[in-house]
């Protein structure tokens, strides 16, 4: 059930990335072969803002953070969760380090770091923050890209996508 909804979000993201980069560069970004810069974005939108708007915000909203998550926040602290985002295909370790620092500063019990494709979650155990989950959604984006470009794609099993939603969802 979750997988179909997540795939729909990813299909919308592909269309938006095609508009922002053009079909060729969009494919290069999704496949991980290109770290976008200002010059790559047709309307010169900041790549970090584009990542946040197209890849991160829709997923965060789907995961149940809609009421808490601002669309213009690149590094945010929502009640109980510290969030750090880097531009697509950038070093995720940078976002992870910022997330862990924010968790320490706010004593948040949970943190999320992402580049829109790869997601990391940390939880606080006593006074120590530990990364407890990592998920790479890129294979699903590539499947959607292949289906859009070539009308066929190697099917990715829904199990990982369902686990991602289960683990990263905001408990209500």
């Amino acid at each position: 059930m979750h997988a179909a909804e997540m795939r729909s979000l990813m299909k919308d993201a592909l269309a938006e990335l095609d508009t922002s980069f053009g079909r060729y560069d969009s494919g290069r970004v999704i496949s991980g072969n290109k770290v976008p810069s200002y010059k790559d974005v047709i309307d010169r939108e900041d790549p970090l803002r584009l990542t946040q708007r197209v890849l991160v915000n829709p997923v965060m909203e789907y995961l149940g953070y809609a009421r808490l998550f601002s669309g213009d926040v690149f590094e945010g602290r929502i009640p109980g969760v510290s969030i750090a985002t880097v531009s697509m295909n950038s070093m995720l370790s940078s976002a992870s380090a910022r997330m862990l620092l924010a968790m320490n500063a706010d004593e948040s019990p949970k943190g999320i770091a992402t580049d829109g494709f790869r997601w990391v979650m940390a939880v606080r155990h006593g006074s120590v923050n530990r990364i407890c989950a990592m998920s790479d959604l890129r294979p699903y984006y590539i499947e959607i890209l292949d289906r859009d470009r070539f009308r066929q794609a190697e099917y990715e099993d829904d199990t990982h996508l369902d686990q991602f939603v289960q683990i990263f969802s905001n408990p209500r």
Side-chain angles (χ1 to χ4, degrees):
M1 168 121 101
H2 295 297
E5 294 163 334
M6 284 291 295
R7 287 175 193 273
S8 176
L9 290 176
M10 292 173 180
K11 188 174 180 182
D12 293 346
L14 171 63
E16 188 68 33
L17 292 175
D18 281 348
T19 300
S20 296
F21 293 115
R23 286 177 57 91
Y24 176 74
D25 279 340
S26 173
R28 291 180 64 207
V29 168
I30 289 171
S31 66
N33 292 327
K34 184 167 188 59
V35 176
S37 69
Y38 283 102
K39 66 180 179 148
D40 298 314
V41 184
I42 292 170
D43 67 0
R44 300 295 188 244
E45 182 176 11
D46 176 0
L48 180 59
R49 180 178 295 278
L50 179 64
T51 300
Q52 188 75 28
R53 181 176 62 80
V54 175
L55 298 176
V56 178
N57 286 351
V59 172
M60 291 296 288
E61 289 176 17
Y62 179 74
L63 294 174
Y65 298 93
R67 292 169 285 130
L68 308 170
F69 194 66
S70 167
D72 289 329
V73 175
F74 303 129
E75 183 173 341
R77 293 169 183 89
I78 54 180
V81 183
S82 295
I83 301 169
T85 303
V86 291
S87 183
M88 333 171 190
N89 300 330
S90 295
M91 296 287 290
L92 195 56
S93 59
S94 171
S96 297
R98 286 196 338 264
M99 169 197 62
L100 293 170
L101 289 172
M103 287 177 71
N104 285 334
D106 294 345
E107 296 183 2
S108 298
K110 183 177 177 181
I112 297 174
T114 184
D115 71 347
F117 298 119
R118 298 166 295 164
W119 295 74
V120 173
M121 178 183 285
V123 294
R124 179 177 287 282
H125 292 285
S127 63
V128 177
N129 300 324
R130 300 214 171 153
I131 292 179
C132 65
M134 296 161 71
S135 189
D136 187 354
L137 302 181
R138 187 180 313 276
Y140 297 98
Y141 283 97
I142 290 172
E143 175 191 333
I144 291 165
L145 175 75
D146 286 350
R147 190 160 285 118
D148 180 75
R149 303 299 197 261
F150 308 113
R151 304 292 180 234
Q152 59 184 356
E154 185 70 29
Y155 180 76
E156 290 294 326
D157 183 37
D158 290 343
T159 304
H160 181 71
L161 204 50
D162 287 331
Q163 287 173 343
F164 168 78
V165 172
Q166 181 181 7
I167 292 168
F168 283 80
S169 286
N170 187 20
R172 292 166 180 65

